[in-house]
Amino acid sequence: MVPVSVFIMDVTKSSTAGHGEEISNYITQLERDIGNWHGNIGSVQIKHRSGDELILLSEGYASAFITAFFISSLWKYEKNPPYFGITYGSLDKKVEEIDIEKWIHPLVKQARNANDHLKKQKDRESFHLQLNDVEPSLQIINSMFMLQHVLRIEQTDIQQLVCSLYLIYGKQNAVAQLLDRSAPTIYSHFKKGHCEQIIRSFRDIVSFLNARQASDFYEVTNNQSDVLEESIRTNIKSRVQELFNI
C-alpha cells in the first residue's frame, strides 16, 4: 500500500470571466510547473482537463495540500480564485501506474465531493477536506481552512503579496529587499495581514497530515513534505518576478 493524496481544483467564475482561454492556458502552464515542483520527490500524476479543472494524485498524505496552498498563494487571477477539494488515503498500486484521466477510485469521489461542497458555497473557501470516515480531526482541519479563508479575504493586496513572499522566503528582510520597502514597513503589513497566523495554520495542517501518515505507514520515511516544500520554494524563487509581477 502507498500513502497518497488527491486534489481536484476548479476556478471560480472562469466561464464568465471574459478571459476563459487565458485562464485555461495559465492552468496548462501551471500543470508543467507542478511537475517541476515535484521533480523526483515521490511520484505524481497531474492533469489539466475540462477547461479549468486540475486533478493531482501524489505520494504522501500532505503533498496535495502543500501543492494546493502554494498554487493559491501565487495565483494570478484575483477575481477568479481556485478552490480545491482534497482527500488522502492509500493505494494498492504505484502512482505512476495510474491513468489519471480514466481513474475510478473512492479517493477521486471523495475529492470530487469535497470540491462540490465548495462549489455550493456562496462565500467560497479555498480548501475542503473529505475522508471516507467522519472523524473529529476532519472537522478541525476544515475549521482551520475556514479561519484561513476569513483571514486571507480581509488582506489588502500588499498584505497578500507580503504573506505569499514570506511563505517562500521565510525572512522579512528578504521580502523587504525584493519589494524595495523598509523592513518595518514589511513587518507592519505582515502583522496587520495576520500572515503569521495563516502560515502557522498551513504548517500545523501539514504536521497533522504527516503525523497521520506516520501512524498509518510507520515504515515510510516522513521527510517528503519538507523536501517538496523546499523544491517548490526553489522553483518559485527562480521565477519570482515573473510569477508575482514585481
Side-chain angles (χ1 to χ4, degrees):
M1 302 296 283
V2 180
V4 298
S5 54
V6 178
F7 75 55
I8 293 177
M9 182 196 92
D10 271 322
V11 179
T12 302
K13 297 181 180 177
S14 61
S15 60
T16 59
H19 47 263
E21 184 176 354
E22 183 180 336
I23 291 176
S24 182
N25 291 337
Y26 181 69
I27 297 172
T28 297
Q29 178 59 54
L30 189 60
E31 177 186 8
R32 292 192 288 267
D33 291 342
I34 293 168
N36 292 331
W37 292 357
H38 283 256
N40 296 319
I41 307 165
S43 296
V44 64
Q45 295 273 6
I46 177 77
K47 187 66 179 178
H48 173 203
R49 60 187 191 182
S50 302
D52 64 353
E53 183 177 286
L54 197 64
I55 182 170
L56 176 141
L57 164 66
S58 179
E59 286 186 40
Y61 280 5
S63 58
F65 171 61
I66 290 170
T67 306
F69 193 84
F70 276 93
I71 291 171
S72 181
S73 296
L74 60 78
W75 184 260
K76 178 179 177 181
Y77 297 94
E78 182 181 344
K79 293 182 179 180
N80 309 101
Y83 55 97
F84 302 83
I86 301 173
T87 192
Y88 65 83
S90 59
L91 282 185
D92 58 1
K93 60 174 63 177
K94 295 179 179 179
V95 169
E96 57 266 30
E97 296 174 355
I98 302 294
D99 183 349
I100 199 167
E101 289 198 85
K102 300 177 181 178
W103 190 39
I104 300 173
H105 192 275
L107 288 174
V108 176
K109 184 177 180 180
Q110 288 162 208
R112 175 67 64 194
N113 288 342
N115 183 276
D116 287 343
H117 171 86
L118 294 171
K119 190 172 293 186
K120 295 173 184 176
Q121 290 181 335
K122 183 177 180 180
D123 183 16
R124 187 174 292 147
E125 298 163 22
S126 297
F127 313 108
H128 187 75
L129 177 68
Q130 181 164 320
L131 302 175
N132 186 41
D133 298 320
V134 177
E135 54 180 277
S137 59
L138 181 64
Q139 184 175 352
I140 293 170
I141 294 298
N142 283 323
S143 294
M144 293 177 72
F145 286 153
M146 180 184 67
L147 292 172
Q148 261 187 13
H149 173 71
V150 170
L151 293 176
R152 292 177 83 171
I153 63 173
E154 291 181 349
Q155 290 179 321
T156 64
D157 290 346
I158 185 62
Q159 288 167 357
Q160 289 178 5
L161 179 58
V162 166
C163 196
S164 295
L165 292 174
Y166 188 86
L167 173 69
I168 296 160
Y169 287 88
K171 296 180 180 180
Q172 292 175 31
N173 287 339
V175 177
Q177 184 175 6
L178 195 63
L179 296 180
D180 195 23
R181 306 282 183 93
S182 69
T185 297
I186 295 301
Y187 178 75
S188 176
H189 291 312
F190 183 83
K191 295 298 288 185
K192 290 178 180 179
H194 302 289
C195 300
E196 182 178 1
Q197 289 77 14
I198 292 168
I199 293 173
R200 183 188 299 164
S201 70
F202 163 71
R203 290 172 178 158
D204 287 346
I205 293 168
V206 171
S207 294
F208 167 81
L209 295 172
N210 284 337
R212 177 53 60 89
Q213 178 177 312
S215 174
D216 293 347
F217 293 87
Y218 61 87
E219 74 281 5
V220 177
T221 57
N222 212 18
N223 68 336
Q224 180 179 328
S225 62
D226 291 338
V227 178
L228 175 59
E229 283 189 49
E230 186 58 33
S231 175
I232 294 173
R233 289 188 175 96
T234 298
N235 275 271
I236 293 175
K237 285 177 184 177
S238 70
R239 301 172 53 212
V240 67
Q241 293 181 326
E242 169 197 351
L243 293 173
F244 290 97
N245 195 27
I246 55 176

